[in-house]
Amino acid sequence: MNKFLIFILITSTLLASGCSRGLFSVHKLDIQQGNALNTEDVERIKAGMTKKEVQSILGYPVVDPLFQPDRWDYVYHRKQPDTPIEQRHVSIYFQDDVVTQITSSDKDAK
């Protein structure tokens, strides 16, 4: 009887370990924060566009422009399991609600 219980225990452990990477593996999440900044969308922003046009392409910036109403900062941070962190930052400067300058920095960090 004890051999049968040991056999069942070993068999169930082996079957359970085959359901994922391992019996005691941890699920790793894809973490995304901020505005999703596609290169194509950022390249569509041109000097002379209005705030409403920028907002229709990129959305409203997550970083609140309360203290700098003539500058919108779009920040994007994405961490995927087993890959470098993807970070992007785009600043759009306005004068009289019209785009005057766009700065962008793309970088990968570990």
Short mmCIF file of all heavy atoms in Angstrom, two decimals, residues 73-100:
data_model
loop_
_atom_site.label_atom_id
_atom_site.label_comp_id
_atom_site.label_asym_id
_atom_site.label_seq_id
_atom_site.Cartn_x
_atom_site.Cartn_y
_atom_site.Cartn_z
N ASP A 73 5.03 66.31 -21.78
CA ASP A 73 6.01 65.23 -21.68
C ASP A 73 5.28 63.89 -21.73
O ASP A 73 4.41 63.63 -20.90
CB ASP A 73 6.82 65.32 -20.39
CG ASP A 73 7.79 66.48 -20.41
OD1 ASP A 73 8.61 66.54 -21.33
OD2 ASP A 73 7.72 67.34 -19.50
N TYR A 74 5.65 63.08 -22.70
CA TYR A 74 5.13 61.74 -22.83
C TYR A 74 6.23 60.77 -22.39
O TYR A 74 7.34 60.81 -22.92
CB TYR A 74 4.72 61.44 -24.28
CG TYR A 74 3.53 62.23 -24.75
CD1 TYR A 74 3.67 63.48 -25.31
CD2 TYR A 74 2.25 61.70 -24.62
CE1 TYR A 74 2.57 64.19 -25.74
CE2 TYR A 74 1.14 62.41 -25.05
CZ TYR A 74 1.31 63.65 -25.60
OH TYR A 74 0.21 64.36 -26.02
N VAL A 75 5.91 59.93 -21.42
CA VAL A 75 6.88 58.98 -20.88
C VAL A 75 6.33 57.58 -21.05
O VAL A 75 5.15 57.33 -20.78
CB VAL A 75 7.15 59.27 -19.38
CG1 VAL A 75 8.15 58.29 -18.82
CG2 VAL A 75 7.65 60.70 -19.21
N TYR A 76 7.18 56.68 -21.51
CA TYR A 76 6.79 55.28 -21.73
C TYR A 76 7.85 54.38 -21.12
O TYR A 76 9.04 54.59 -21.31
CB TYR A 76 6.65 55.01 -23.23
CG TYR A 76 6.30 53.59 -23.58
CD1 TYR A 76 5.03 53.09 -23.31
CD2 TYR A 76 7.22 52.76 -24.19
CE1 TYR A 76 4.70 51.79 -23.64
CE2 TYR A 76 6.88 51.46 -24.53
CZ TYR A 76 5.63 50.98 -24.25
OH TYR A 76 5.30 49.69 -24.58
N HIS A 77 7.40 53.39 -20.36
CA HIS A 77 8.29 52.45 -19.69
C HIS A 77 7.68 51.06 -19.81
O HIS A 77 6.53 50.86 -19.44
CB HIS A 77 8.41 52.85 -18.22
CG HIS A 77 9.26 51.95 -17.40
ND1 HIS A 77 10.59 52.18 -17.19
CD2 HIS A 77 8.97 50.82 -16.73
CE1 HIS A 77 11.08 51.23 -16.43
NE2 HIS A 77 10.11 50.39 -16.14
N ARG A 78 8.46 50.12 -20.35
CA ARG A 78 7.94 48.76 -20.51
C ARG A 78 9.00 47.76 -20.09
O ARG A 78 10.13 47.81 -20.54
CB ARG A 78 7.55 48.51 -21.95
CG ARG A 78 6.94 47.14 -22.15
CD ARG A 78 6.46 46.98 -23.56
NE ARG A 78 5.83 45.69 -23.74
CZ ARG A 78 5.39 45.24 -24.88
NH1 ARG A 78 5.49 45.99 -25.95
NH2 ARG A 78 4.84 44.06 -24.97
N LYS A 79 8.60 46.85 -19.21
CA LYS A 79 9.48 45.78 -18.74
C LYS A 79 8.85 44.46 -19.09
O LYS A 79 7.75 44.14 -18.67
CB LYS A 79 9.67 45.88 -17.22
CG LYS A 79 10.40 44.71 -16.59
CD LYS A 79 11.85 44.67 -17.00
CE LYS A 79 12.59 43.59 -16.27
NZ LYS A 79 13.13 42.55 -17.11
N GLN A 80 9.55 43.70 -19.94
CA GLN A 80 9.11 42.37 -20.31
C GLN A 80 10.06 41.37 -19.67
O GLN A 80 11.24 41.66 -19.49
CB GLN A 80 9.13 42.18 -21.83
CG GLN A 80 8.13 43.03 -22.56
CD GLN A 80 8.27 42.84 -24.05
OE1 GLN A 80 9.35 42.92 -24.60
NE2 GLN A 80 7.15 42.59 -24.70
N PRO A 81 9.57 40.18 -19.36
CA PRO A 81 10.45 39.17 -18.78
C PRO A 81 11.61 38.84 -19.72
O PRO A 81 11.43 38.69 -20.92
CB PRO A 81 9.54 37.95 -18.60
CG PRO A 81 8.16 38.50 -18.60
CD PRO A 81 8.20 39.72 -19.45
N ASP A 82 12.79 38.76 -19.16
CA ASP A 82 14.00 38.33 -19.87
C ASP A 82 14.39 39.24 -21.03
O ASP A 82 15.01 38.79 -21.98
CB ASP A 82 13.85 36.88 -20.36
CG ASP A 82 13.51 35.93 -19.22
OD1 ASP A 82 14.03 36.13 -18.11
OD2 ASP A 82 12.70 35.02 -19.44
N THR A 83 14.01 40.51 -21.00
CA THR A 83 14.42 41.47 -22.03
C THR A 83 14.81 42.78 -21.35
O THR A 83 14.37 43.05 -20.22
CB THR A 83 13.30 41.76 -23.05
OG1 THR A 83 12.18 42.31 -22.35
CG2 THR A 83 12.88 40.52 -23.79
N PRO A 84 15.60 43.61 -22.02
CA PRO A 84 15.95 44.91 -21.43
C PRO A 84 14.71 45.80 -21.27
O PRO A 84 13.74 45.66 -21.99
CB PRO A 84 16.92 45.53 -22.44
CG PRO A 84 17.37 44.41 -23.29
CD PRO A 84 16.29 43.38 -23.28
N ILE A 85 14.79 46.72 -20.35
CA ILE A 85 13.70 47.68 -20.13
C ILE A 85 13.68 48.66 -21.29
O ILE A 85 14.71 49.18 -21.70
CB ILE A 85 13.90 48.44 -18.80
CG1 ILE A 85 13.83 47.47 -17.62
CG2 ILE A 85 12.87 49.55 -18.66
CD1 ILE A 85 14.19 48.10 -16.30
N GLU A 86 12.50 48.90 -21.83
CA GLU A 86 12.33 49.87 -22.92
C GLU A 86 11.80 51.16 -22.33
O GLU A 86 10.77 51.16 -21.64
CB GLU A 86 11.35 49.31 -23.95
CG GLU A 86 11.07 50.24 -25.10
CD GLU A 86 10.00 49.71 -26.03
OE1 GLU A 86 9.56 48.55 -25.87
OE2 GLU A 86 9.59 50.47 -26.92
N GLN A 87 12.52 52.25 -22.55
CA GLN A 87 12.10 53.55 -22.04
C GLN A 87 12.13 54.57 -23.18
O GLN A 87 13.06 54.59 -23.96
CB GLN A 87 13.04 54.03 -20.93
CG GLN A 87 13.03 53.17 -19.71
CD GLN A 87 13.98 53.67 -18.65
OE1 GLN A 87 14.68 54.66 -18.82
NE2 GLN A 87 14.03 52.97 -17.54
N ARG A 88 11.10 55.38 -23.23
CA ARG A 88 11.04 56.46 -24.22
C ARG A 88 10.51 57.71 -23.55
O ARG A 88 9.66 57.64 -22.67
CB ARG A 88 10.12 56.07 -25.38
CG ARG A 88 10.61 54.86 -26.14
CD ARG A 88 9.83 54.62 -27.37
NE ARG A 88 10.23 55.65 -28.35
CZ ARG A 88 9.59 55.84 -29.49
NH1 ARG A 88 8.55 55.13 -29.80
NH2 ARG A 88 10.01 56.76 -30.33
N HIS A 89 11.01 58.84 -24.00
CA HIS A 89 10.55 60.12 -23.48
C HIS A 89 10.46 61.09 -24.64
O HIS A 89 11.42 61.28 -25.38
CB HIS A 89 11.53 60.63 -22.41
CG HIS A 89 11.15 61.96 -21.86
ND1 HIS A 89 11.95 63.07 -21.99
CD2 HIS A 89 10.04 62.38 -21.22
CE1 HIS A 89 11.35 64.10 -21.41
NE2 HIS A 89 10.20 63.71 -20.95
N VAL A 90 9.31 61.69 -24.81
CA VAL A 90 9.09 62.67 -25.87
C VAL A 90 8.55 63.94 -25.22
O VAL A 90 7.60 63.90 -24.44
CB VAL A 90 8.09 62.15 -26.93
CG1 VAL A 90 7.79 63.23 -27.95
CG2 VAL A 90 8.61 60.91 -27.60
N SER A 91 9.19 65.05 -25.51
CA SER A 91 8.73 66.36 -25.04
C SER A 91 8.27 67.17 -26.24
O SER A 91 8.98 67.25 -27.25
CB SER A 91 9.84 67.11 -24.31
OG SER A 91 10.21 66.42 -23.14
N ILE A 92 7.11 67.76 -26.12
CA ILE A 92 6.57 68.60 -27.18
C ILE A 92 6.34 69.99 -26.61
O ILE A 92 5.65 70.15 -25.59
CB ILE A 92 5.25 68.01 -27.74
CG1 ILE A 92 5.52 66.60 -28.28
CG2 ILE A 92 4.68 68.92 -28.82
CD1 ILE A 92 4.31 65.87 -28.75
N TYR A 93 6.94 70.97 -27.25
CA TYR A 93 6.86 72.35 -26.78
C TYR A 93 5.87 73.12 -27.65
O TYR A 93 5.85 72.97 -28.87
CB TYR A 93 8.24 73.01 -26.86
CG TYR A 93 9.27 72.34 -25.98
CD1 TYR A 93 10.00 71.26 -26.45
CD2 TYR A 93 9.49 72.77 -24.68
CE1 TYR A 93 10.95 70.63 -25.65
CE2 TYR A 93 10.42 72.15 -23.87
CZ TYR A 93 11.15 71.08 -24.37
OH TYR A 93 12.08 70.45 -23.57
N PHE A 94 5.07 73.97 -26.99
CA PHE A 94 4.04 74.75 -27.67
C PHE A 94 4.27 76.24 -27.44
O PHE A 94 4.82 76.65 -26.41
CB PHE A 94 2.65 74.40 -27.13
CG PHE A 94 2.23 72.97 -27.35
CD1 PHE A 94 2.47 72.00 -26.39
CD2 PHE A 94 1.61 72.60 -28.53
CE1 PHE A 94 2.07 70.69 -26.59
CE2 PHE A 94 1.22 71.29 -28.73
CZ PHE A 94 1.45 70.34 -27.76
N GLN A 95 3.82 77.01 -28.39
CA GLN A 95 3.74 78.45 -28.22
C GLN A 95 2.42 78.87 -28.84
O GLN A 95 2.18 78.60 -30.02
CB GLN A 95 4.91 79.16 -28.88
CG GLN A 95 4.94 80.64 -28.61
CD GLN A 95 6.20 81.30 -29.16
OE1 GLN A 95 6.94 80.70 -29.93
NE2 GLN A 95 6.43 82.53 -28.75
N ASP A 96 1.56 79.46 -28.05
CA ASP A 96 0.21 79.83 -28.48
C ASP A 96 -0.55 78.61 -28.99
O ASP A 96 -1.22 78.66 -30.03
CB ASP A 96 0.26 80.92 -29.56
CG ASP A 96 0.90 82.21 -29.06
OD1 ASP A 96 0.70 82.53 -27.86
OD2 ASP A 96 1.58 82.88 -29.85
N ASP A 97 -0.43 77.49 -28.27
CA ASP A 97 -1.11 76.22 -28.57
C ASP A 97 -0.72 75.62 -29.92
O ASP A 97 -1.48 74.85 -30.50
CB ASP A 97 -2.64 76.38 -28.50
CG ASP A 97 -3.12 76.61 -27.08
OD1 ASP A 97 -2.36 76.29 -26.14
OD2 ASP A 97 -4.24 77.07 -26.90
N VAL A 98 0.47 75.94 -30.42
CA VAL A 98 0.98 75.39 -31.66
C VAL A 98 2.36 74.79 -31.39
O VAL A 98 3.17 75.38 -30.68
CB VAL A 98 1.08 76.49 -32.76
CG1 VAL A 98 1.71 75.95 -34.02
CG2 VAL A 98 -0.30 77.05 -33.06
N VAL A 99 2.62 73.61 -31.95
CA VAL A 99 3.90 72.92 -31.73
C VAL A 99 5.04 73.73 -32.32
O VAL A 99 4.98 74.16 -33.48
CB VAL A 99 3.88 71.51 -32.38
CG1 VAL A 99 5.24 70.84 -32.25
CG2 VAL A 99 2.80 70.64 -31.76
N THR A 100 6.08 73.95 -31.49
CA THR A 100 7.27 74.66 -31.96
C THR A 100 8.50 73.75 -31.98
O THR A 100 9.39 73.95 -32.80
CB THR A 100 7.57 75.88 -31.09
OG1 THR A 100 7.75 75.46 -29.73
CG2 THR A 100 6.46 76.91 -31.18
#
